[in-house]
Structure formats: C-alpha cells, structure tokens
Amino acid sequence: MASSNSDTKKKRPWKKPREEKGPLEGDLDSVTSLTSRDEKTKDVSILDIIEIDGSILEGGGQILRNAMALSCLLHKPIHVTKIRAGRSKPGLRPQHLTGIRLISEVCQGTLTGDIPGSTDITFVPGTITSGYYTADTQTAGSICLLIQAVLPCVMFAKDQKMKINLRGGTNADMAPPIDYMIKVFKPMAERAGVKFDCSVIRRGFYPKGGGEVILTPVITGVVSSFEFMNKGDIVDVEIESYTAGVIPIRVSHQMASAAQNLLQKHINRVPIKFNTIRLSEQQAFGNG
C-alpha cells in the first residue's frame, strides 16, 4: 500500500543511514558516495516521493522488490520504511541489497540507505539503460528473487543489448528454485509477451551459494494481458532430484522416491517418473 507523503501530519526530513551499520565487506564506496547522492536526491520535491510501509502484510522482502520495480517503470521516487519488519532479522540482507542496487544501476537511479541492516531506503529512478550487468549476493541469496526484481525493468530497456550475470543460490530455502523459473514461470510469462533466456552456468546451494545464471531478456517494450481460466488436466509428472559435492547420489533417490509416494496419494492415475542427477564440480558449487 502506498500513499503520498503530503497525507502525513509532518514532513519527513531527509535522513542519512545510521552510522553504526557498516557497509558490506569490500564495498566502502557505497557508503563514501552517500553524501554526493544525498545532494542529488534533494533535487526531488519531498511532495513527489511516495511513502511505502515495508511492514504491510507479511512484512518481508517482496514489497521492497515490487516497490523498486514499479518505481523504475513509473518513474516515481519512493521512500520505503520498516523494511522486512516482519522477519526475525529486520532490515536489508545481502540478497535484498544486491537486488535493489541492480535495479538502481539498470535505471541509472539514485539510491540511499542501501547498507546492511537498513530499514529505510529512498530511491529516485532514472532512465532504463541497456548493457551488461553483474549482480553477486556473495551468499546463497536467491538468484530467482533477483530475476523477479529486475525482469520487469529490463523488459522496457531502449534496445536489445541487455545481459545480466547473476550469482548466488540457484536452489535456496524460502525462494523458488531456478528450475521453477525456467519450467513454470517462463512459459507462463511468455503468454504475456515477457520473453527471456535463462542459462544456468553453475548451481549454488546453501550456505555458500556460488551459483551463476545468465539472464538475457528479449526486449519488446510491450506486455499484454491473457486469460488463464482453465487449469487443464495433469497428464504426467516428472521429478528431478539433484545432488552435488559430498552428498551421495542415494540422497537424490530418497528425495525423489518420497516425492513420488506423496504425489501418488493425490494423483494416483497419472504416471509419475523421477530422474536423479549427480552434478559435477563444473555444474555445481559446494554441497547440495
């Protein structure tokens, strides 16, 4: 939910990020440049900024990702407060920092408050610019959530020369796996004219991450509506189970067999098959 700052009883003064919360290791430039960025932000009238309460509903990272993407597309500056207030560790984590910084870079925007643990950011979008971008969570932070955040923005770049190298976790907890993005989300998005290629260079698992995916959008500048009223019938089910590193292949068989047994209780008239895959060191980083 968003409302204009003019609805509040008192104008909110500009604030610099809290000093006690330091930058990501090796990323001091993000803090030393805040002063100059604050000067740029002052050019925007405080009445133009849309105030967004990040604690709405589940109070997680989704409202932040959506707000940043919509701000970029609609050219509306935003001020997001109470970021991830509903989580056990509120504020920005490496995954969220990577996502919002990527959006800011893609649209040549001005972002303040982007430091670890921050619960308050201000974003002034610029022009969506094509190019080659890299975003690395340096953790097992979900690559799929990075795609979810930046994909709406890059679909409206000026030309086709757009490619994004994403690094982090391809298969992580509390987020869709990269297989879902490719095999479920991608075909559905194409119905709306959202087309992209998603190449998995290497899988990455918790806690080290190390996965790498290349996102190449097919830029059309047009998104259309579509109807999806009939879910159809399930004709078959295929289960894929991966293991990598020191995790033995029998774990793949155990996971796939358990999933097969569970599904057969609900769709017992549909053929269900599973495929167990042992990933090499070139195909995956770490154990998973």
Side-chain angles (χ1 to χ4, degrees):
M1 182 178 293
S3 62
S4 171
N5 193 57
S6 60
D7 294 335
T8 60
K9 296 181 180 179
K10 182 179 178 181
K11 290 185 177 179
R12 186 178 184 91
W14 291 107
K15 297 195 307 179
K16 290 185 179 180
R18 297 181 179 88
E19 294 181 357
E20 67 269 22
K21 294 176 180 177
L24 284 170
E25 184 177 353
D27 195 21
L28 291 174
D29 290 342
S30 66
V31 174
T32 56
S33 63
L34 281 176
T35 301
S36 60
R37 288 191 291 175
D38 282 344
E39 292 299 324
K40 294 179 183 179
T41 311
K42 288 179 182 178
D43 294 335
V44 179
S45 169
I46 195 169
L47 297 179
D48 295 333
I49 296 180
I50 298 174
E51 292 282 343
I52 298 176
D53 184 347
S55 67
I56 293 295
L57 299 178
E58 66 171 340
Q62 190 62 53
I63 190 169
L64 175 64
R65 286 186 289 270
N66 288 355
M68 287 288 295
L70 290 171
S71 172
C72 178
L73 292 172
L74 300 175
H75 304 287
K76 299 287 186 181
I78 59 172
H79 178 221
V80 186
T81 59
K82 303 178 185 177
I83 294 172
R84 300 183 68 249
R87 296 296 186 250
S88 58
K89 293 182 179 180
L92 295 171
R93 305 291 291 168
Q95 171 188 297
H96 310 99
L97 282 168
T98 304
I100 64 177
R101 286 173 178 171
L102 175 60
I103 292 176
S104 181
E105 185 180 5
V106 165
C107 75
Q108 305 297 298
T110 302
L111 178 64
T112 56
D114 54 324
I115 57 176
S118 173
T119 58
D120 187 317
I121 64 103
T122 300
F123 176 57
V124 180
T127 302
I128 301 173
T129 305
S130 298
Y132 184 87
Y133 299 92
T134 298
D136 188 351
T137 66
Q138 301 180 27
T139 67
S142 173
I143 287 177
C144 287
L145 294 183
L146 295 180
I147 294 174
Q148 186 184 91
V150 77
L151 184 60
C153 306
V154 300
M155 294 308 300
F156 293 88
K158 289 185 177 181
D159 58 59
Q160 295 285 339
K161 298 178 181 178
M162 175 73 79
K163 185 172 289 188
I164 304 176
N165 183 298
L166 301 169
R167 300 171 187 174
T170 58
N171 301 72
D173 293 338
M174 306 300 291
I178 192 65
D179 307 89
Y180 176 89
M181 184 64 65
I182 295 172
K183 297 182 179 182
V184 179
F185 175 77
K186 186 173 182 288
M188 296 301 296
E190 287 177 348
R191 295 191 180 194
V194 178
K195 299 181 180 180
F196 62 94
D197 181 57
C198 198
S199 301
V200 180
I201 307 302
R202 182 174 57 252
R203 290 178 182 268
F205 306 97
Y206 179 85
K208 294 184 178 180
E212 183 176 2
V213 171
I214 304 295
L215 175 67
T216 307
V218 179
I219 300 170
T220 63
V222 177
V223 176
S224 57
S225 62
F226 70 96
E227 290 187 1
F228 188 57
M229 303 301 292
N230 183 6
K231 66 179 182 180
D233 298 319
I234 300 174
V235 294
D236 60 58
V237 176
E238 182 176 351
I239 302 168
E240 289 187 354
S241 180
Y242 303 91
T243 49
V246 300
I247 308 300
I249 188 65
R250 69 172 181 272
V251 175
S252 287
H253 289 280
Q254 291 169 353
M255 292 189 295
S257 179
Q260 184 183 46
N261 292 336
L262 181 62
L263 288 170
Q264 284 177 335
K265 294 178 181 179
H266 301 281
I267 47 174
N268 55 5
R269 296 183 180 180
V270 174
I272 301 174
K273 58 182 179 179
F274 64 79
N275 184 25
T276 57
I277 302 171
R278 177 68 179 173
L279 301 173
S280 67
E281 292 183 1
Q282 290 73 34
Q283 295 173 311
F285 180 82
N287 306 318

